Amino acid sequence: MNQKLTIVSNKKLTNNVYELVLKGDLVNIMHVPGQFIHIQVPRPDLILRRPISLAKIDHHNSTCTVVLRASGQGTQSIVDTKVGDSLNVMGPLGNGFPIDFLVNDNRALLIGGGIGIPPLLECAKQLYEKGVKCTIVLGFINHSAVFYETEFKQYGEVMIATDDGSYQIKGNVKTVIDQLDQTFNAIYACGPTGLTRMVNEYFKDHPNAYISLEERMACGIGACAGCTVTHVNKRSNYKVCSDGPVFKTNEVII
Ligand code: FES
């Protein structure tokens, strides 16, 4: 399903990371944290849509929030839009983070890195509303790259690692996870390949550990095989867009 959504807010979060709030009826069918929308670049010469995870879903105001890093012509063109402009959006797409099995007072560990943290925000919100206790570990390059700390603090305990030690803990998310002694009923992770690869291995035996993969996409709906990843048995493939982007740990080769 696709529809034009109106931009009601466009805010710079860090040097090249922007938060866009989009409004429209399509939001009414967005429910699952970890799903993504496929945004048409507002330039006729750039044909491929850009897959962007949902950071917030607000049914009351019919808005959804996405966070993008302006890293190429397509994403730059999207973040250059102004309030009142509209974007053609397809979605919601993919399989998000399973949270239905968790109950009040369960514990969840959320692990995010850089531009991969936004889908964990909606996940943390929905877990918090279920009474799940969230421990949230976020990794960034340095202090100036940190965003959404205040937003995550609404939903749980937040620990931040920076590569250069310029804010909170020096190191990466594994530095923090190594020091945690709680057991968790579920693990949710999203971030760059190094992070998801680490979590895929670190929690490979955990029964409820999930990673969300970032992958370049074309169709976004399982039709082009442009986003294939290999099953750990090496005998079958998955499509990140339609079988994922969320997978259990030890399910695919990263
Ligand atoms: Fe086409 Fe995933 S992007 S199959």
Side-chain angles (χ1 to χ4, degrees):
M1 184 162 183
N2 68 332
Q3 195 178 81
K4 284 197 167 183
L5 299 189
T6 304
I7 297 163
V8 295
S9 170
N10 183 342
K11 197 165 72 179
K12 192 173 187 176
L13 298 181
T14 70
N15 179 35
N16 59 352
V17 173
Y18 294 78
E19 177 195 71
L20 271 65
V21 182
L22 310 173
K23 185 178 179 72
D25 292 341
L26 193 67
V27 175
N28 296 330
I29 61 169
M30 299 176 184
H31 297 283
V32 183
Q35 285 194 300
F36 67 94
I37 56 177
H38 220 16
I39 301 178
Q40 189 173 60
V41 177
R43 266 179 54 171
D45 57 323
L46 298 176
I47 297 166
L48 293 183
R49 289 172 180 262
R50 298 298 189 270
I52 311 290
S53 295
L54 293 165
K56 302 178 197 172
I57 303 167
D58 180 350
H59 289 139
H60 181 69
N61 292 305
S62 295
T63 60
C64 66
T65 301
V66 291
V67 175
L68 301 85
R69 179 169 52 209
S71 55
Q73 292 184 61
T75 45
Q76 186 65 54
S77 174
I78 292 171
V79 303
D80 282 344
T81 52
K82 304 280 182 278
V83 170
D85 291 348
S86 60
L87 287 168
N88 186 297
V89 170
M90 191 164 81
L93 298 173
N95 297 300
F97 294 115
I99 64 167
D100 287 348
F101 65 94
L102 292 172
V103 295
N104 190 39
D105 275 343
N106 277 174
R107 304 194 70 90
L109 173 63
L110 284 67
I111 308 162
I115 195 65
I117 72 167
L120 296 175
L121 184 62
E122 179 64 24
C123 187
K125 184 188 87 178
Q126 294 194 20
L127 291 170
Y128 174 80
E129 289 170 351
K130 286 169 67 74
V132 174
K133 305 281 183 291
C134 293
T135 299
I136 301 154
V137 179
L138 306 175
F140 298 93
I141 298 173
N142 55 36
H143 192 181
S144 66
V146 175
F147 65 95
Y148 271 0
E149 179 183 7
T150 307
E151 282 80 354
F152 275 103
K153 277 184 171 170
Q154 300 172 92
Y155 308 127
E157 182 190 11
V158 177
M159 285 171 274
I160 293 178
T162 49
D163 293 347
D164 65 356
S166 54
Y167 190 63
Q168 293 197 10
I169 301 150
K170 185 178 188 333
N172 56 30
V173 292
K174 185 172 179 296
T175 313
V176 182
I177 295 166
D178 282 340
Q179 294 167 11
L180 298 176
D181 55 6
Q182 304 135 344
T183 54
F184 295 97
N185 302 93
I187 319 284
Y188 303 99
C190 187
T193 304
L195 183 148
T196 47
R197 185 178 289 140
M198 182 277 291
V199 173
N200 198 39
E201 175 64 23
Y202 200 102
F203 295 102
K204 66 181 177 188
D205 297 322
H206 194 289
N208 300 304
Y210 301 91
I211 50 173
S212 180
L213 301 186
E214 295 179 341
E215 189 62 56
R216 285 182 177 274
M217 294 180 189
C219 71
I221 52 171
C224 73
C227 62
T228 302
V229 288
T230 304
H231 190 279
V232 286
N233 67 17
K234 298 189 179 169
R235 290 193 294 274
S236 55
N237 291 325
Y238 285 131
K239 293 166 183 168
V240 173
C241 66
S242 54
D243 297 315
V246 174
F247 296 92
K248 290 190 84 158
T249 50
N250 203 27
E251 191 176 12
V252 297
I253 296 172
I254 300 174

